[in-house]
Amino acid sequence: MAEPASDSARPSEGATPPRPQIRRLSEGTVNRIAAGEVVERPASAVKELVENALDAGARRIDVAISGGGKTLISVEDDGCGMTADDLLLAIERHATSKLAVDGAGTEDLVHINSLGFRGEALPSIGAVARLGIISRPRGGEGHALKVEGGKLSGPRPAGTAPGTRIEVRDIFFATPARLKFLKSDRAEAQAVSDVVKRIAMAHPRVALSLTHEGRTMLRLDAEAAADDEEAHLARLARILGRDFQDNVMPVAIEREGIAIHGHAGLPTFNRGNAQAQYLFVNGRPVRDKLLTGAVRGAYADFLARDRHPILALFVEVDPAEVDVNVHPAKAEVRFRDPGHVRALIVKSLRMALDAAGHRASTTVAGTALGAFRLEPQALHQPPPQRHLMELASRSFAPSAPATHVPGMEDGHGDEGSAHTPADALAGFERAEARVEDTASTDDLMDRPLGAARGQLHLTYIVSETRDGLILVDQHAAHERLVHERMKKALAEAGIKRQALLVPEVVELGAGEAAALADRSDELAELGLVIEPFGDGTIIVRETPAMLGDTDIQGLIRDLADEVAELGEALSLKERLDEVSGTMACHGSVRAGRRLTAAEMNALLREMEVTPHSGQCNHGRPTYVKLTLPDIEKLFGRR
């Protein structure tokens, strides 16, 4: 950018400013500008080169880097290879083998079936780095060439195995100013690793490896499973760990030419950010607001806003229905019918969540076992007097039968009232009697959540199964049960509305108001009645009764922002869910409430048949299961 003119050089007020001169940029400058769009960092170059190898039909790809990719990037594959003439064309701008040509000789930019097609990666990399290519087609001779800062040397004959090896040395040596914007070697290497992992997830039949400074960061053999879904899950487990394999649900749906498959994590298997959400369109890793918004919408009823699910979803769609040329690095896509794609993702995830039933993630048990670790010195320390008094004041089993039965809407009970030592002793006597009473419930031990054996701290239900024990948070579990009942009732009877005495007028931009008005039918189903009221204005006549006295101006503006960005009014659904969850919380069994064995077993049975009962309304687990092997490990038996 030109330096601003000094005050003395500026034209006087009212004078005609000089006409800027238009000139053609040099070829070198054009190539470097193009390179900046395609090659942002070493990871960008790796992505382009690995995708080229996949398009060449490679079954094995080996990536090696040094200095985080700043010093060296090497990508070697066993694909179809290139002839000497192919090499010369490959480094020219706008040359490609990846676009089909129709009968009239016109390239088809609609039906794109390859990962890369513009023919810009190799010339862009050669414009800013030292590029070396050696390649040999099957049954042909090998050749090599070099490009340094845009200057070509070769091709020349070279001996090599069938396939292609590309080396990129000293990236951005021709544009040294860009080097200062790169991060540390470790950060750049991690970015390269993330790119290779994402590509590997979408291509489980291809073996990939990644080394940094000679140290192996990733080595994946081609998955041998006959079933594609099994191969995908095996590859995902190798990359994301065994916990992913143990705590995900299969996702599969196909409607109107769009197929979605993959695996999504249980709500209790979540993270604090969305970095563990892997989304692919026609085998291409993407980061797309539409897709991430759909995932958020599907899990909105199961996770707090600051928690995010772990998943890997693959969207397969007719290439004519998606534009992959939106972003220079092809990291974003644009669908012809984004609303349909979004709705299908939400539906597929909701179906998977419903099918999971009361299942909770296995990581919950692992966390519990970690909390059980006892320091050896603690065994030799006498317990303090206060601790003995606490033991004496605890009741393991319920006393007299309580009047509340899970499922009734009475949410009132003791909030952890104090007990005297005499009361506690009576509680222990009742606990012994309760053990005899519950002996007849052995048949319940075959049920998924087992037979209730007692209550800890008037908060946690202890249940026995054939292969271990289960601890249930009575309040969190019943909160989910009540919430699910309320959702069902709302779905059957509809959301009640309250008419405003004075309709609220909200001023928005013309485009925002029009987009929101187009969603008026959808919003009316949620209890919000709006109408267009002039250019760029919305009038609100009715609101959901559940919300009570709410900030209508803020709600409408939030909805407008979400419709513009995500295509759906999530905030209204989330507010209704939040109110429903709060009502469920107040209408559920409280911690500190004494329950009878019949009440506890009734709660367990209802959990077994209620979807999503494995987590409360905030995504926390409602129960922890410890298997016998887990318990035996605690006591050194294993």
Side-chain angles (χ1 to χ4, degrees), residues 361-384:
S361 63
T362 60
T363 53
V364 175
T367 302
L369 286 171
F372 268 112
R373 304 304 178 201
L374 184 64
E375 296 182 3
Q377 62 268 26
L379 294 173
H380 307 289
Q381 295 176 355

Side-chain angles (χ1 to χ4, degrees), residues 408-556:
M408 298 179 63
E409 297 308 318
D410 173 20
H412 302 285
D414 295 335
E415 288 290 334
S417 57
H419 301 282
T420 64
D423 292 334
L425 291 175
F428 283 123
E429 292 173 359
R430 289 190 293 270
E432 294 175 1
R434 180 61 58 193
V435 171
E436 296 177 1
D437 293 343
T438 56
S440 61
T441 64
D442 284 350
D443 57 327
L444 295 178
M445 291 172 59
D446 293 320
R447 301 294 295 268
L449 295 182
R453 296 301 190 190
Q455 191 180 19
L456 288 175
H457 300 288
L458 302 180
T459 302
Y460 304 100
I461 297 171
V462 181
S463 176
E464 183 182 5
T465 63
R466 293 292 181 193
D467 62 345
L469 67 85
I470 292 177
L471 291 175
V472 178
D473 183 331
Q474 66 189 42
H475 173 66
H478 197 241
E479 181 182 352
R480 168 55 73 178
L481 300 182
V482 174
H483 187 37
E484 291 299 321
R485 284 193 222 108
M486 293 180 63
K487 285 166 54 181
K488 184 178 180 180
L490 288 173
E492 293 174 351
I495 297 175
K496 294 182 179 180
R497 307 170 185 167
Q498 60 181 6
L500 300 179
L501 293 177
V502 179
E504 186 93 12
V505 177
V506 184
E507 295 184 359
L508 302 168
E512 293 175 320
L516 206 56
D518 289 341
R519 298 271 175 174
S520 59
D521 291 342
E522 174 188 328
L523 294 174
E525 293 179 0
L526 298 173
L528 184 66
V529 177
I530 64 171
E531 297 173 4
F533 190 67
D535 189 26
T537 306
I538 290 290
I539 187 169
V540 181
R541 297 194 179 277
E542 297 179 50
T543 61
M546 291 174 60
L547 294 183
D549 186 13
T550 188
D551 177 11
I552 297 176
Q553 294 277 342
L555 174 61
I556 294 298

Side-chain angles (χ1 to χ4, degrees), residues 104-444:
T106 303
E107 290 83 8
D108 185 358
L109 284 171
V110 177
H111 298 85
I112 298 172
N113 295 300
S114 60
L115 294 174
F117 66 90
R118 288 177 302 224
E120 291 181 354
L122 292 178
S124 295
I125 294 171
V128 296
R130 295 183 171 92
L131 173 67
I133 309 175
I134 181 169
S135 185
R136 174 188 164 191
R138 292 184 178 88
E141 300 295 327
H143 291 82
L145 61 72
K146 292 183 179 180
V147 182
E148 293 192 4
K151 296 180 180 179
L152 169 66
S153 103
R156 56 179 177 76
T160 184
T164 302
R165 184 175 77 250
I166 298 179
E167 289 188 355
V168 180
R169 295 184 179 274
D170 303 327
I171 195 168
F172 299 137
F173 91 96
T175 53
R178 297 198 60 192
L179 285 171
K180 65 182 180 182
F181 293 100
L182 297 181
K183 298 181 180 180
S184 66
D185 290 358
R186 182 175 180 179
E188 294 297 338
Q190 189 58 46
V192 171
S193 176
D194 184 63
V195 163
V196 175
K197 286 178 179 178
R198 287 178 183 271
I199 295 175
M201 290 177 190
H203 302 275
R205 305 297 189 186
V206 179
L208 288 105
S209 69
L210 171 64
T211 60
H212 181 219
E213 307 286 3
R215 182 177 63 86
T216 300
M217 296 183 69
L218 183 70
R219 185 170 298 279
L220 300 168
D221 295 328
E223 300 300 336
D227 182 80
D228 286 342
E229 284 306 305
E230 290 182 9
H232 266 112
L233 182 57
R235 173 58 62 87
L236 291 170
R238 294 181 192 278
I239 296 173
L240 301 177
R242 179 63 183 270
D243 281 346
F244 180 87
Q245 185 174 18
D246 292 341
N247 295 290
V248 294
M249 311 162 291
V251 177
I253 194 171
E254 186 171 357
R255 298 282 192 281
E256 301 176 18
I258 300 176
I260 298 173
H261 65 94
H263 294 83
L266 295 164
T268 46
F269 185 57
N270 56 61
R271 295 278 180 85
N273 56 48
Q275 294 301 310
Q277 293 178 9
Y278 302 93
L279 304 169
F280 305 83
V281 176
N282 291 350
R284 186 189 309 277
V286 297
R287 298 179 185 272
D288 188 86
K289 290 181 179 179
L290 171 77
L291 302 182
T292 54
V295 171
R296 175 188 163 197
Y299 279 83
D301 190 30
F302 310 103
L303 287 176
R305 291 181 67 94
D306 60 344
R307 305 303 300 178
H308 303 268
I310 301 172
L311 51 80
L313 287 185
F314 303 86
V315 180
E316 306 293 339
V317 61
D318 185 337
E321 298 297 317
V322 59
D323 183 2
V324 298
N325 198 24
V326 177
H327 189 275
K330 302 184 288 293
E332 298 177 8
V333 295
R334 181 179 294 124
F335 294 98
R336 179 170 294 181
D337 188 355
H340 178 50
V341 176
R342 191 186 193 286
L344 204 57
I345 291 175
V346 173
K347 183 177 180 62
S348 66
L349 290 174
R350 287 289 174 88
M351 289 171 58
L353 288 164
D354 288 343
H358 67 271
R359 183 180 165 202
S361 63
T362 60
T363 53
V364 175
T367 302
L369 286 171
F372 268 112
R373 304 304 178 201
L374 184 64
E375 296 182 3
Q377 62 268 26
L379 294 173
H380 307 289
Q381 295 176 355
Q385 187 66 25
R386 180 180 60 83
H387 183 59
L388 290 175
M389 292 301 295
E390 288 176 352
L391 287 175
S393 66
R394 294 171 185 167
S395 173
F396 181 72
S399 57
T403 57
H404 180 279
V405 177
M408 298 179 63
E409 297 308 318
D410 173 20
H412 302 285
D414 295 335
E415 288 290 334
S417 57
H419 301 282
T420 64
D423 292 334
L425 291 175
F428 283 123
E429 292 173 359
R430 289 190 293 270
E432 294 175 1
R434 180 61 58 193
V435 171
E436 296 177 1
D437 293 343
T438 56
S440 61
T441 64
D442 284 350
D443 57 327
L444 295 178

